[in-house]
């Protein structure tokens, strides 16, 4: 059974839920659904203690996931989660609806590490990539470049 986590910004909550539900319908297990806390966090009704608890859940979810999906645009937390996933050597799939991830003026150097698979297009293109291109990172072994440039 594959475990996954979807990281993104609050503005992308509909897409996060779409991807999560699609993966769950295929038997994948979501390690944490951060969207449950998004309304309170966005509305400013959480305390620093709440933020600590949410952060612990999100960190543990990334660590426990076999696949970490990064949906752009992301926020500060998204990029922290990307860093945790890189350090954990998880399978990482970075998704952008546009080709902006290849633009030197708008991209991040970490998006271009060998272990980060990239996809742009529709969310269904992303799901096809996840479901039909199985990949397992082994510690110390570079990944195969599955960057999509079409």
């Amino acid at each position: 059974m594959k475990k996954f986590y979807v990281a993104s910004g609050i503005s992308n909550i509909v897409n996060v839920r779409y991807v999560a539900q699609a993966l769950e319908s295929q038997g994948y297990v979501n390690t944490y659904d951060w969207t449950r806390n998004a309304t309170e966090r966005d509305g400013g009704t959480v305390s620093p203690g709440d933020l600590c608890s949410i952060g612990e859940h999100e960190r543990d979810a990334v660590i426990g996931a076999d696949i970490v999906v990064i949906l752009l645009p992301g926020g500060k937390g998204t990029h922290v989660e990307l860093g945790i996933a890189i350090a954990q050597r998880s399978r990482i799939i970075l998704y952008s609806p546009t080709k902006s991830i290849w633009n030197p003026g708008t991209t991040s150097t970490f998006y271009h590490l060998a272990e980060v698979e990239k996809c742009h297009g529709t969310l269904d293109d992303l799901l096809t990539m996840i479901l039909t291109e199985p990949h397992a990172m082994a510690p110390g072994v570079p990944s195969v470049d599955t960057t999509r440039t079409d």
Side-chain angles (χ1 to χ4, degrees):
M1 141 177 64
K2 291 279 188 178
K3 297 180 285 180
F4 73 94
Y5 179 78
V6 182
S8 191
I10 290 174
S11 65
N12 233 355
I13 200 165
V14 171
N15 292 339
V16 170
R17 288 179 175 158
Y18 178 81
V19 169
Q21 290 169 357
L23 291 175
E24 288 168 347
S25 75
Q26 296 296 314
Y28 287 64
V29 175
N30 193 346
T31 56
Y32 182 66
D33 180 5
W34 62 265
T35 66
R36 294 178 294 159
N37 305 311
T39 305
E40 294 83 9
R41 189 175 1 177
D42 197 36
T45 59
V46 295
S47 69
D50 295 331
L51 291 174
C52 178
S53 176
I54 292 167
E56 290 170 347
H57 287 300
E58 291 175 349
R59 175 203 61 214
D60 294 346
V62 173
I63 291 170
D66 300 309
I67 302 167
V68 177
V69 180
I70 308 290
L71 298 184
L72 297 178
K76 296 176 294 206
T78 306
H79 290 87
V80 171
E81 292 161 338
L82 172 61
I84 295 168
I86 290 168
Q88 285 294 120
R89 310 240 357 123
S90 303
R91 179 180 185 198
I92 302 164
I93 301 175
L94 177 72
Y95 167 81
S96 175
T98 68
K99 294 182 179 183
S100 63
I101 53 179
W102 285 277
N103 179 337
T106 59
T107 194
S108 166
T109 57
F110 294 99
Y111 296 174
H112 301 280
L113 294 176
E115 59 263 38
V116 177
E117 299 172 58
K118 292 177 280 303
C119 177
H120 77 273
T122 68
L123 291 174
D124 290 330
D125 292 334
L126 169 66
L127 291 166
T128 297
M129 182 177 183
I130 294 168
L131 297 170
T132 62
E133 296 180 20
H135 173 83
M137 284 295 297
V141 176
S143 71
V144 174
D145 184 6
T146 58
T147 302
R148 294 187 177 227
T149 57
D150 54 338

